[in-house]
Amino acid sequence: MNFELNNTNLQILQKKNKLYTLLNTKFDKAYFKVSNGELIFALCSNNGIITTRLETNYEGETQYFSLDYRKWQIALQKFNNIDTINVSLEDSLLKLYVEGSFDEINLGIVPYTADSLPAKQIDDFMPNKSAEVKSCNHVLVLTPEIRSYFDLANSLFTVQTRVK
């Protein structure tokens, strides 16, 4: 199973890196679903779930797997200035590489079946819960003033790691 993460995908993941890193302290599981034309990345735990959909050039059977989020993030950072990363998924190994280069990162994965709990969380829980929340007609209007407050708060607070 092979597909590419293009520059647009990588920019989306990079923009959300701060949020993902913060949530990774509470959402301890990183799950992935690869299906025709898309990759879904999800961080989840008993506290909740967040998903991100990325368009890919993958065509084939739907695959579900998990891997260590921190290792995933470090691997993506290694390819920070690359336009396209090739991804290969085989059994219990995810390989990230650049075509024509010797740079390659292998990450261990745990594959799941379509009837597993992680697959159901991605396929059922998130869409159903999202539809339920949206049907309540709660609306938050983000005015330019409120957005500027978020920008200010974002610049004042940074993600800290625990020192052991």
Side-chain angles (χ1 to χ4, degrees):
M1 169 174 133
N2 297 309
F3 62 93
E4 295 177 349
L5 291 176
N6 61 31
N7 195 310
T8 304
N9 300 132
L10 297 172
Q11 285 178 4
I12 290 169
L13 292 172
Q14 185 61 33
K15 281 182 182 178
K16 296 183 179 191
N17 182 38
K18 195 175 198 180
L19 173 64
Y20 293 153
T21 302
L22 176 66
L23 290 177
N24 186 240
T25 60
K26 298 291 183 195
F27 294 15
D28 54 354
K29 305 277 192 277
Y31 296 114
F32 296 79
K33 174 186 177 184
V34 183
S35 58
N36 285 332
E38 76 176 358
L39 166 72
I40 298 175
F41 166 67
L43 282 176
C44 62
S45 73
N46 292 337
N47 297 316
I49 185 169
I50 182 171
T51 61
T52 300
R53 293 179 186 275
L54 303 172
E55 291 183 17
T56 67
N57 63 341
Y58 175 73
E59 291 186 18
E61 290 184 33
T62 299
Q63 302 287 324
Y64 299 89
F65 61 93
S66 68
L67 58 81
D68 183 276
Y69 172 73
R70 290 189 178 121
K71 290 179 182 176
W72 165 255
Q73 196 56 42
I74 290 169
L76 290 180
Q77 288 174 359
K78 298 281 185 187
F79 295 108
N80 196 20
N81 297 321
I82 303 298
D83 286 333
T84 302
I85 299 174
N86 294 305
V87 181
S88 175
L89 185 64
E90 298 171 12
D91 298 324
S92 60
L93 186 69
L94 179 84
K95 179 169 75 170
L96 301 170
Y97 64 98
V98 176
E99 195 70 42
S101 170
F102 293 111
D103 293 336
E104 179 179 302
I105 297 175
N106 294 302
L107 301 172
I109 64 167
V110 177
Y112 293 98
T113 61
D115 60 349
S116 65
L117 180 60
K120 289 179 182 178
Q121 286 176 315
I122 292 171
D123 291 340
D124 300 332
F125 178 78
M126 186 63 179
N128 292 342
K129 202 47 115 166
S130 178
E132 180 183 317
V133 170
K134 288 176 184 175
S135 70
C136 293
N137 293 323
H138 294 290
V139 177
L140 172 64
V141 178
L142 295 177
T143 64
E145 182 180 22
I146 292 173
R147 292 182 73 172
S148 71
Y149 292 143
F150 283 141
D151 289 340
L152 176 62
N154 189 38
S155 68
L156 295 175
F157 300 101
T158 60
V159 176
Q160 300 275 327
T161 58
R162 295 182 184 169
V163 178
K164 295 181 182 184

